[in-house]
Short mmCIF file of all heavy atoms in Angstrom, two decimals:
data_model
loop_
_atom_site.label_atom_id
_atom_site.label_comp_id
_atom_site.label_asym_id
_atom_site.label_seq_id
_atom_site.Cartn_x
_atom_site.Cartn_y
_atom_site.Cartn_z
N MET A 176 21.37 71.88 47.82
CA MET A 176 20.32 71.08 48.46
C MET A 176 20.52 69.60 48.12
O MET A 176 20.61 69.23 46.96
CB MET A 176 18.93 71.53 47.96
CG MET A 176 18.62 72.97 48.31
SD MET A 176 18.16 73.13 50.05
CE MET A 176 17.27 74.69 49.98
N ARG A 177 20.58 68.76 49.13
CA ARG A 177 20.78 67.33 48.89
C ARG A 177 19.73 66.53 49.66
O ARG A 177 20.02 65.88 50.64
CB ARG A 177 22.18 66.92 49.31
CG ARG A 177 23.25 67.41 48.35
CD ARG A 177 24.62 67.07 48.91
NE ARG A 177 24.87 67.80 50.16
CZ ARG A 177 25.74 67.41 51.08
NH1 ARG A 177 26.40 66.29 50.94
NH2 ARG A 177 25.94 68.13 52.15
N PHE A 178 18.54 66.64 49.22
CA PHE A 178 17.44 65.99 49.94
C PHE A 178 17.52 64.48 49.87
O PHE A 178 17.19 63.78 50.81
CB PHE A 178 16.09 66.44 49.37
CG PHE A 178 15.74 67.84 49.78
CD1 PHE A 178 15.70 68.85 48.85
CD2 PHE A 178 15.45 68.12 51.11
CE1 PHE A 178 15.39 70.14 49.23
CE2 PHE A 178 15.13 69.42 51.49
CZ PHE A 178 15.10 70.43 50.55
N PHE A 179 17.99 63.97 48.73
CA PHE A 179 18.00 62.52 48.56
C PHE A 179 19.41 61.95 48.58
O PHE A 179 19.67 60.87 48.11
CB PHE A 179 17.29 62.15 47.25
CG PHE A 179 15.88 62.65 47.21
CD1 PHE A 179 15.55 63.74 46.42
CD2 PHE A 179 14.90 62.04 47.96
CE1 PHE A 179 14.26 64.22 46.40
CE2 PHE A 179 13.61 62.51 47.94
CZ PHE A 179 13.28 63.61 47.16
N GLY A 180 20.34 62.73 49.11
CA GLY A 180 21.72 62.27 49.14
C GLY A 180 21.91 61.10 50.09
O GLY A 180 21.22 60.97 51.10
N HIS A 181 22.86 60.28 49.76
CA HIS A 181 23.18 59.16 50.63
C HIS A 181 23.99 59.67 51.82
O HIS A 181 24.64 60.70 51.75
CB HIS A 181 23.96 58.10 49.88
CG HIS A 181 23.14 57.42 48.83
ND1 HIS A 181 22.17 56.49 49.13
CD2 HIS A 181 23.12 57.56 47.49
CE1 HIS A 181 21.62 56.08 48.01
NE2 HIS A 181 22.16 56.71 47.00
N GLY A 182 23.95 58.92 52.89
CA GLY A 182 24.69 59.33 54.08
C GLY A 182 24.00 60.46 54.82
O GLY A 182 24.59 61.13 55.64
N GLN A 183 22.73 60.66 54.52
CA GLN A 183 21.98 61.70 55.21
C GLN A 183 21.11 61.12 56.33
O GLN A 183 20.21 61.76 56.82
CB GLN A 183 21.09 62.45 54.21
CG GLN A 183 21.87 63.33 53.26
CD GLN A 183 22.25 64.66 53.89
OE1 GLN A 183 21.45 65.28 54.56
NE2 GLN A 183 23.48 65.09 53.71
N SER A 184 21.38 59.87 56.66
CA SER A 184 20.53 59.20 57.65
C SER A 184 21.04 59.43 59.07
O SER A 184 20.84 58.61 59.94
CB SER A 184 20.47 57.71 57.34
OG SER A 184 21.77 57.19 57.24
N GLN A 185 21.68 60.57 59.27
CA GLN A 185 22.21 60.88 60.60
C GLN A 185 21.08 61.13 61.59
O GLN A 185 21.12 60.67 62.71
CB GLN A 185 23.09 62.12 60.50
CG GLN A 185 24.46 61.83 59.90
CD GLN A 185 25.54 61.72 60.97
OE1 GLN A 185 25.51 62.46 61.93
NE2 GLN A 185 26.45 60.81 60.80
N SER A 186 20.10 61.87 61.13
CA SER A 186 19.00 62.22 62.04
C SER A 186 18.06 61.04 62.24
O SER A 186 17.64 60.40 61.28
CB SER A 186 18.23 63.41 61.50
OG SER A 186 18.05 63.27 60.11
N GLU A 187 17.76 60.78 63.47
CA GLU A 187 16.89 59.66 63.82
C GLU A 187 15.45 59.99 63.47
O GLU A 187 14.94 61.05 63.81
CB GLU A 187 16.98 59.39 65.32
CG GLU A 187 18.27 58.72 65.72
CD GLU A 187 18.24 57.22 65.47
OE1 GLU A 187 17.14 56.65 65.49
OE2 GLU A 187 19.30 56.65 65.26
N THR A 188 14.81 59.08 62.77
CA THR A 188 13.38 59.26 62.51
C THR A 188 12.58 58.11 63.08
O THR A 188 11.37 58.12 63.04
CB THR A 188 13.10 59.36 61.00
OG1 THR A 188 13.55 58.18 60.35
CG2 THR A 188 13.79 60.58 60.39
N LYS A 189 13.30 57.12 63.63
CA LYS A 189 12.63 55.95 64.17
C LYS A 189 12.61 56.03 65.69
O LYS A 189 13.64 56.27 66.33
CB LYS A 189 13.35 54.70 63.72
CG LYS A 189 12.48 53.47 63.71
CD LYS A 189 13.20 52.34 62.98
CE LYS A 189 12.34 51.11 62.91
NZ LYS A 189 13.00 50.01 62.22
N CYS A 190 11.44 55.81 66.24
CA CYS A 190 11.30 55.89 67.69
C CYS A 190 11.99 54.71 68.37
O CYS A 190 11.77 53.56 68.00
CB CYS A 190 9.82 55.90 68.05
SG CYS A 190 9.54 55.96 69.82
N LYS A 191 12.85 55.03 69.33
CA LYS A 191 13.57 53.97 70.03
C LYS A 191 12.66 53.21 70.99
O LYS A 191 12.95 52.08 71.37
CB LYS A 191 14.73 54.58 70.82
CG LYS A 191 15.88 55.00 69.93
CD LYS A 191 16.92 55.74 70.75
CE LYS A 191 18.02 56.30 69.83
NZ LYS A 191 18.92 57.19 70.55
N GLU A 192 11.59 53.83 71.38
CA GLU A 192 10.71 53.22 72.37
C GLU A 192 9.77 52.20 71.75
O GLU A 192 9.62 51.09 72.25
CB GLU A 192 9.88 54.29 73.06
CG GLU A 192 10.68 55.40 73.71
CD GLU A 192 11.38 54.95 74.99
OE1 GLU A 192 10.87 54.03 75.65
OE2 GLU A 192 12.42 55.53 75.32
N CYS A 193 9.14 52.56 70.66
CA CYS A 193 8.12 51.68 70.09
C CYS A 193 8.43 51.26 68.66
O CYS A 193 7.72 50.45 68.09
CB CYS A 193 6.75 52.35 70.14
SG CYS A 193 6.58 53.78 69.09
N GLY A 194 9.53 51.79 68.08
CA GLY A 194 9.94 51.35 66.76
C GLY A 194 9.20 52.00 65.60
O GLY A 194 9.44 51.67 64.45
N THR A 195 8.31 52.90 65.91
CA THR A 195 7.57 53.57 64.85
C THR A 195 8.46 54.53 64.08
O THR A 195 9.18 55.31 64.68
CB THR A 195 6.38 54.36 65.44
OG1 THR A 195 5.61 53.51 66.26
CG2 THR A 195 5.51 54.95 64.34
N ASP A 196 8.40 54.44 62.75
CA ASP A 196 9.18 55.35 61.93
C ASP A 196 8.33 56.56 61.58
O ASP A 196 7.33 56.45 60.88
CB ASP A 196 9.65 54.64 60.66
CG ASP A 196 10.79 55.39 60.00
OD1 ASP A 196 10.99 56.58 60.33
OD2 ASP A 196 11.48 54.80 59.15
N LEU A 197 8.74 57.71 62.08
CA LEU A 197 7.97 58.93 61.84
C LEU A 197 8.42 59.65 60.58
O LEU A 197 7.81 60.64 60.18
CB LEU A 197 8.08 59.87 63.05
CG LEU A 197 7.19 59.59 64.26
CD1 LEU A 197 5.73 59.53 63.87
CD2 LEU A 197 7.59 58.34 65.00
N HIS A 198 9.51 59.19 59.98
CA HIS A 198 10.05 59.73 58.72
C HIS A 198 10.49 61.18 58.82
O HIS A 198 10.81 61.80 57.81
CB HIS A 198 9.02 59.58 57.58
CG HIS A 198 8.55 58.17 57.40
ND1 HIS A 198 9.35 57.19 56.87
CD2 HIS A 198 7.37 57.57 57.73
CE1 HIS A 198 8.66 56.05 56.86
NE2 HIS A 198 7.48 56.25 57.38
N ASP A 199 10.48 61.73 59.99
CA ASP A 199 10.85 63.14 60.15
C ASP A 199 11.29 63.37 61.59
O ASP A 199 10.57 63.03 62.52
CB ASP A 199 9.63 64.02 59.82
CG ASP A 199 9.96 65.49 59.93
OD1 ASP A 199 10.51 66.04 58.97
OD2 ASP A 199 9.68 66.09 60.99
N PRO A 200 12.48 63.93 61.78
CA PRO A 200 13.01 64.13 63.13
C PRO A 200 12.11 64.98 64.02
O PRO A 200 11.97 64.71 65.22
CB PRO A 200 14.34 64.85 62.88
CG PRO A 200 14.72 64.53 61.49
CD PRO A 200 13.42 64.39 60.75
N GLU A 201 11.48 65.96 63.43
CA GLU A 201 10.60 66.83 64.22
C GLU A 201 9.35 66.09 64.67
O GLU A 201 8.90 66.22 65.80
CB GLU A 201 10.23 68.06 63.37
CG GLU A 201 9.37 69.07 64.09
CD GLU A 201 10.07 69.75 65.27
OE1 GLU A 201 11.32 69.68 65.35
OE2 GLU A 201 9.37 70.35 66.10
N ARG A 202 8.81 65.30 63.76
CA ARG A 202 7.62 64.51 64.11
C ARG A 202 7.97 63.47 65.16
O ARG A 202 7.17 63.16 66.04
CB ARG A 202 7.05 63.84 62.86
CG ARG A 202 6.15 64.78 62.08
CD ARG A 202 5.71 64.14 60.79
NE ARG A 202 4.80 63.00 61.00
CZ ARG A 202 4.39 62.20 60.05
NH1 ARG A 202 4.78 62.39 58.81
NH2 ARG A 202 3.58 61.21 60.31
N LEU A 203 9.19 62.90 65.01
CA LEU A 203 9.63 61.91 66.00
C LEU A 203 9.71 62.55 67.37
O LEU A 203 9.27 61.97 68.37
CB LEU A 203 11.01 61.37 65.59
CG LEU A 203 11.70 60.50 66.64
CD1 LEU A 203 10.94 59.21 66.90
CD2 LEU A 203 13.13 60.18 66.24
N ARG A 204 10.24 63.75 67.42
CA ARG A 204 10.38 64.45 68.70
C ARG A 204 9.00 64.66 69.35
O ARG A 204 8.80 64.42 70.53
CB ARG A 204 11.07 65.81 68.48
CG ARG A 204 11.63 66.43 69.73
CD ARG A 204 12.34 67.73 69.42
NE ARG A 204 11.44 68.70 68.80
CZ ARG A 204 10.59 69.46 69.49
NH1 ARG A 204 10.51 69.37 70.78
NH2 ARG A 204 9.82 70.31 68.85
N LYS A 205 8.07 65.11 68.54
CA LYS A 205 6.72 65.35 69.07
C LYS A 205 6.05 64.04 69.48
O LYS A 205 5.35 63.98 70.48
CB LYS A 205 5.86 66.06 68.01
CG LYS A 205 6.19 67.53 67.92
CD LYS A 205 5.38 68.19 66.83
CE LYS A 205 5.78 69.67 66.74
NZ LYS A 205 5.14 70.33 65.59
N HIS A 206 6.25 63.01 68.65
CA HIS A 206 5.69 61.69 68.98
C HIS A 206 6.24 61.21 70.32
O HIS A 206 5.50 60.73 71.17
CB HIS A 206 6.04 60.69 67.88
CG HIS A 206 5.98 59.26 68.32
ND1 HIS A 206 4.81 58.54 68.37
CD2 HIS A 206 6.96 58.41 68.76
CE1 HIS A 206 5.07 57.32 68.82
NE2 HIS A 206 6.37 57.21 69.06
N HIS A 207 7.55 61.35 70.49
CA HIS A 207 8.18 60.86 71.71
C HIS A 207 7.68 61.63 72.92
O HIS A 207 7.44 61.06 73.98
CB HIS A 207 9.70 60.98 71.60
CG HIS A 207 10.43 60.16 72.62
ND1 HIS A 207 10.79 60.66 73.84
CD2 HIS A 207 10.82 58.87 72.60
CE1 HIS A 207 11.39 59.69 74.52
NE2 HIS A 207 11.43 58.61 73.80
N GLU A 208 7.52 62.92 72.76
CA GLU A 208 7.02 63.73 73.87
C GLU A 208 5.61 63.30 74.26
O GLU A 208 5.28 63.20 75.43
CB GLU A 208 7.00 65.21 73.46
CG GLU A 208 8.23 65.94 73.95
CD GLU A 208 8.24 67.39 73.53
OE1 GLU A 208 7.17 68.01 73.53
OE2 GLU A 208 9.33 67.88 73.19
N LYS A 209 4.80 63.07 73.25
CA LYS A 209 3.40 62.71 73.52
C LYS A 209 3.28 61.29 74.05
O LYS A 209 2.54 61.02 74.98
CB LYS A 209 2.58 62.83 72.24
CG LYS A 209 1.93 64.17 72.09
CD LYS A 209 0.87 64.09 70.99
CE LYS A 209 0.03 65.35 70.97
NZ LYS A 209 -1.05 65.26 69.96
N ALA A 210 4.01 60.37 73.41
CA ALA A 210 3.77 58.95 73.68
C ALA A 210 4.63 58.38 74.80
O ALA A 210 4.20 57.49 75.52
CB ALA A 210 3.97 58.16 72.40
N HIS A 211 5.85 58.88 74.96
CA HIS A 211 6.77 58.17 75.85
C HIS A 211 7.40 59.00 76.95
O HIS A 211 8.05 58.47 77.83
CB HIS A 211 7.90 57.54 75.03
CG HIS A 211 7.40 56.71 73.90
ND1 HIS A 211 6.65 55.58 74.09
CD2 HIS A 211 7.54 56.85 72.57
CE1 HIS A 211 6.35 55.07 72.91
NE2 HIS A 211 6.88 55.82 71.97
N LYS A 212 7.27 60.30 76.86
CA LYS A 212 7.94 61.12 77.85
C LYS A 212 7.37 60.84 79.24
O LYS A 212 6.16 60.93 79.47
CB LYS A 212 7.77 62.61 77.52
CG LYS A 212 8.84 63.46 78.19
CD LYS A 212 8.70 64.91 77.75
CE LYS A 212 9.82 65.74 78.36
NZ LYS A 212 9.64 67.16 78.03
N LYS A 213 8.30 60.50 80.15
CA LYS A 213 7.87 60.21 81.51
C LYS A 213 7.63 61.51 82.25
O LYS A 213 8.55 62.17 82.72
CB LYS A 213 8.96 59.40 82.23
CG LYS A 213 9.22 58.06 81.58
CD LYS A 213 8.13 57.06 81.94
CE LYS A 213 8.47 55.67 81.45
NZ LYS A 213 8.48 55.55 79.99
N LEU A 214 6.40 61.87 82.31
CA LEU A 214 6.06 63.13 82.95
C LEU A 214 5.81 62.97 84.43
O LEU A 214 5.95 63.91 85.21
CB LEU A 214 4.80 63.72 82.30
CG LEU A 214 5.00 64.18 80.85
CD1 LEU A 214 3.64 64.38 80.19
CD2 LEU A 214 5.78 65.48 80.81
N ASN A 215 5.45 61.76 84.82
CA ASN A 215 5.08 61.50 86.21
C ASN A 215 4.02 62.49 86.69
O ASN A 215 4.13 63.08 87.75
CB ASN A 215 6.31 61.56 87.13
CG ASN A 215 7.22 60.36 86.91
OD1 ASN A 215 6.74 59.27 86.62
ND2 ASN A 215 8.50 60.56 87.05
N GLU A 216 3.06 62.67 85.83
CA GLU A 216 1.97 63.57 86.19
C GLU A 216 1.11 62.92 87.26
O GLU A 216 0.77 61.76 87.19
CB GLU A 216 1.10 63.88 84.96
CG GLU A 216 1.82 64.73 83.93
CD GLU A 216 2.02 66.15 84.41
OE1 GLU A 216 1.24 66.59 85.28
OE2 GLU A 216 2.96 66.81 83.94
N LYS A 217 0.78 63.70 88.24
CA LYS A 217 0.04 63.18 89.38
C LYS A 217 -1.35 63.79 89.44
O LYS A 217 -1.50 65.01 89.31
CB LYS A 217 0.81 63.53 90.65
CG LYS A 217 0.48 62.64 91.82
CD LYS A 217 1.45 62.94 92.96
CE LYS A 217 1.24 62.02 94.14
NZ LYS A 217 2.17 62.32 95.25
N CYS A 218 -2.32 62.93 89.64
CA CYS A 218 -3.68 63.42 89.83
C CYS A 218 -3.79 64.05 91.20
O CYS A 218 -3.47 63.42 92.21
CB CYS A 218 -4.67 62.27 89.68
SG CYS A 218 -6.38 62.77 89.99
N ARG A 219 -4.24 65.28 91.23
CA ARG A 219 -4.30 65.99 92.51
C ARG A 219 -5.46 65.51 93.38
O ARG A 219 -5.51 65.78 94.57
CB ARG A 219 -4.45 67.49 92.25
CG ARG A 219 -3.13 68.09 91.78
CD ARG A 219 -3.28 69.56 91.50
NE ARG A 219 -2.09 70.10 90.85
CZ ARG A 219 -1.95 71.35 90.46
NH1 ARG A 219 -2.94 72.20 90.66
NH2 ARG A 219 -0.85 71.76 89.89
N LEU A 220 -6.37 64.83 92.74
CA LEU A 220 -7.54 64.39 93.50
C LEU A 220 -7.32 63.06 94.21
O LEU A 220 -7.69 62.89 95.36
CB LEU A 220 -8.75 64.30 92.58
CG LEU A 220 -9.21 65.63 91.99
CD1 LEU A 220 -10.24 65.39 90.90
CD2 LEU A 220 -9.78 66.55 93.06
N CYS A 221 -6.69 62.10 93.51
CA CYS A 221 -6.53 60.78 94.12
C CYS A 221 -5.07 60.36 94.28
O CYS A 221 -4.78 59.36 94.91
CB CYS A 221 -7.31 59.74 93.31
SG CYS A 221 -6.60 59.41 91.69
N GLY A 222 -4.13 61.14 93.69
CA GLY A 222 -2.72 60.85 93.89
C GLY A 222 -2.13 59.83 92.95
O GLY A 222 -0.95 59.49 93.06
N THR A 223 -2.92 59.32 92.01
CA THR A 223 -2.40 58.34 91.05
C THR A 223 -1.41 59.01 90.10
O THR A 223 -1.65 60.10 89.61
CB THR A 223 -3.56 57.74 90.23
OG1 THR A 223 -4.56 57.26 91.13
CG2 THR A 223 -3.07 56.59 89.37
N VAL A 224 -0.27 58.34 89.89
CA VAL A 224 0.76 58.90 89.01
C VAL A 224 0.64 58.29 87.61
O VAL A 224 0.48 57.08 87.46
CB VAL A 224 2.17 58.61 89.58
CG1 VAL A 224 3.25 59.14 88.63
CG2 VAL A 224 2.32 59.24 90.95
N PHE A 225 0.72 59.16 86.61
CA PHE A 225 0.62 58.71 85.22
C PHE A 225 1.89 59.06 84.47
O PHE A 225 2.51 60.08 84.73
CB PHE A 225 -0.59 59.34 84.54
CG PHE A 225 -1.89 58.91 85.15
CD1 PHE A 225 -2.44 59.63 86.20
CD2 PHE A 225 -2.54 57.78 84.69
CE1 PHE A 225 -3.63 59.22 86.78
CE2 PHE A 225 -3.72 57.36 85.27
CZ PHE A 225 -4.27 58.09 86.32
N ASN A 226 2.24 58.19 83.53
CA ASN A 226 3.46 58.40 82.74
C ASN A 226 3.27 59.41 81.63
O ASN A 226 4.22 60.01 81.15
CB ASN A 226 3.95 57.09 82.15
CG ASN A 226 4.53 56.19 83.21
OD1 ASN A 226 5.02 56.65 84.24
ND2 ASN A 226 4.47 54.89 83.00
N SER A 227 2.05 59.57 81.17
CA SER A 227 1.83 60.51 80.08
C SER A 227 0.71 61.47 80.42
O SER A 227 -0.23 61.14 81.15
CB SER A 227 1.49 59.76 78.79
OG SER A 227 0.16 59.30 78.83
N LEU A 228 0.85 62.67 79.87
CA LEU A 228 -0.15 63.69 80.11
C LEU A 228 -1.49 63.28 79.54
O LEU A 228 -2.54 63.62 80.06
CB LEU A 228 0.32 64.99 79.44
CG LEU A 228 -0.31 66.30 79.94
CD1 LEU A 228 -0.02 66.53 81.39
CD2 LEU A 228 0.19 67.46 79.10
N ASP A 229 -1.43 62.50 78.46
CA ASP A 229 -2.65 62.04 77.81
C ASP A 229 -3.45 61.12 78.74
O ASP A 229 -4.66 61.22 78.84
CB ASP A 229 -2.29 61.31 76.52
CG ASP A 229 -3.46 61.24 75.57
OD1 ASP A 229 -4.11 62.29 75.36
OD2 ASP A 229 -3.74 60.15 75.06
N GLU A 230 -2.72 60.24 79.41
CA GLU A 230 -3.40 59.32 80.33
C GLU A 230 -3.99 60.06 81.50
O GLU A 230 -5.08 59.76 81.97
CB GLU A 230 -2.42 58.26 80.81
CG GLU A 230 -2.16 57.21 79.77
CD GLU A 230 -1.46 56.00 80.38
OE1 GLU A 230 -1.59 55.77 81.59
OE2 GLU A 230 -0.78 55.30 79.62
N LEU A 231 -3.26 61.05 81.98
CA LEU A 231 -3.76 61.85 83.09
C LEU A 231 -5.03 62.60 82.68
O LEU A 231 -5.99 62.67 83.43
CB LEU A 231 -2.69 62.84 83.55
CG LEU A 231 -3.14 63.81 84.65
CD1 LEU A 231 -3.45 63.09 85.95
CD2 LEU A 231 -2.08 64.87 84.89
N ARG A 232 -4.99 63.10 81.46
CA ARG A 232 -6.14 63.85 80.96
C ARG A 232 -7.37 62.96 80.89
O ARG A 232 -8.47 63.35 81.27
CB ARG A 232 -5.82 64.40 79.56
CG ARG A 232 -6.38 65.79 79.34
CD ARG A 232 -6.05 66.28 77.95
NE ARG A 232 -4.61 66.36 77.73
CZ ARG A 232 -4.06 66.39 76.52
NH1 ARG A 232 -4.81 66.32 75.45
NH2 ARG A 232 -2.77 66.47 76.40
N LYS A 233 -7.17 61.73 80.39
CA LYS A 233 -8.28 60.79 80.31
C LYS A 233 -8.80 60.46 81.70
O LYS A 233 -9.99 60.38 81.94
CB LYS A 233 -7.82 59.50 79.62
CG LYS A 233 -7.76 59.61 78.13
CD LYS A 233 -7.29 58.29 77.55
CE LYS A 233 -6.87 58.46 76.09
NZ LYS A 233 -6.13 57.27 75.61
N HIS A 234 -7.86 60.27 82.61
CA HIS A 234 -8.22 59.92 83.98
C HIS A 234 -9.00 61.04 84.65
O HIS A 234 -9.97 60.80 85.36
CB HIS A 234 -6.94 59.62 84.77
CG HIS A 234 -7.18 59.55 86.25
ND1 HIS A 234 -7.67 58.42 86.88
CD2 HIS A 234 -7.01 60.47 87.23
CE1 HIS A 234 -7.78 58.66 88.17
NE2 HIS A 234 -7.38 59.89 88.42
N LYS A 235 -8.58 62.26 84.39
CA LYS A 235 -9.21 63.40 85.05
C LYS A 235 -10.70 63.53 84.73
O LYS A 235 -11.47 64.05 85.53
CB LYS A 235 -8.50 64.69 84.65
CG LYS A 235 -7.35 65.03 85.58
CD LYS A 235 -6.73 66.37 85.19
CE LYS A 235 -5.64 66.75 86.20
NZ LYS A 235 -4.95 68.00 85.80
N LYS A 236 -11.06 63.05 83.55
CA LYS A 236 -12.46 63.11 83.18
C LYS A 236 -13.30 62.18 84.04
O LYS A 236 -14.48 62.43 84.30
CB LYS A 236 -12.63 62.73 81.70
CG LYS A 236 -12.17 63.83 80.76
CD LYS A 236 -12.29 63.37 79.32
CE LYS A 236 -11.71 64.43 78.38
NZ LYS A 236 -11.65 63.94 77.00
N LYS A 237 -12.67 61.11 84.46
CA LYS A 237 -13.40 60.13 85.28
C LYS A 237 -13.27 60.44 86.75
O LYS A 237 -14.14 60.14 87.56
CB LYS A 237 -12.85 58.72 85.01
CG LYS A 237 -13.12 58.23 83.60
CD LYS A 237 -12.44 56.87 83.43
CE LYS A 237 -12.55 56.41 81.96
NZ LYS A 237 -11.78 55.19 81.74
N CYS A 238 -12.12 60.99 87.13
CA CYS A 238 -11.85 61.24 88.54
C CYS A 238 -12.37 62.60 88.94
O CYS A 238 -11.78 63.62 88.59
CB CYS A 238 -10.34 61.15 88.80
SG CYS A 238 -9.92 61.26 90.55
N LYS A 239 -13.47 62.60 89.68
CA LYS A 239 -14.01 63.89 90.12
C LYS A 239 -14.45 63.80 91.58
O LYS A 239 -14.85 62.75 92.03
CB LYS A 239 -15.19 64.28 89.23
CG LYS A 239 -14.70 64.95 87.97
CD LYS A 239 -15.88 65.44 87.11
CE LYS A 239 -15.37 66.10 85.85
NZ LYS A 239 -16.49 66.47 84.98
ZN1 ZN B 586 7.26 55.72 70.01
ZN1 ZN B 587 -7.62 60.81 90.16
#
């Protein structure tokens, strides 16, 4: 086990999109999916396209 070994910085823990360091590749992956993944989610009611599922979710509460 070499948790603190040098040269172990192969795995990316810093988000390329916003520069946030998640300190963990798995957390980075989840962060990127939530924050930056271009989902192009479309509101079925008004047709507005959103880049993130979170934004669409917020919008859906207002759009009825
Ligand atoms: Zn980010
Ligand atoms: Zn809508």
Side-chain angles (χ1 to χ4, degrees):
M176 298 283 201
R177 286 175 295 157
F178 286 112
F179 302 105
H181 292 285
Q183 289 279 317
S184 53
Q185 284 259 322
S186 42
E187 286 279 333
T188 59
K189 204 169 182 180
C190 179
K191 286 173 186 171
E192 305 286 332
C193 67
T195 307
D196 197 344
L197 279 305
H198 305 288
D199 182 82
E201 183 66 16
R202 277 174 68 187
L203 170 65
R204 197 178 59 81
K205 283 177 182 174
H206 159 82
H207 196 269
E208 262 179 38
K209 267 194 170 184
H211 308 297
K212 201 176 183 185
K213 298 283 187 293
L214 292 165
N215 289 326
E216 291 290 335
K217 202 172 184 180
C218 176
R219 286 179 189 178
L220 295 169
C221 70
T223 308
V224 178
F225 295 90
N226 288 333
S227 76
L228 200 61
D229 200 48
E230 283 194 25
L231 176 66
R232 218 180 299 160
K233 281 180 195 167
H234 168 82
K235 270 184 176 176
K236 286 177 185 172
K237 294 176 186 174
C238 186
K239 277 184 180 176

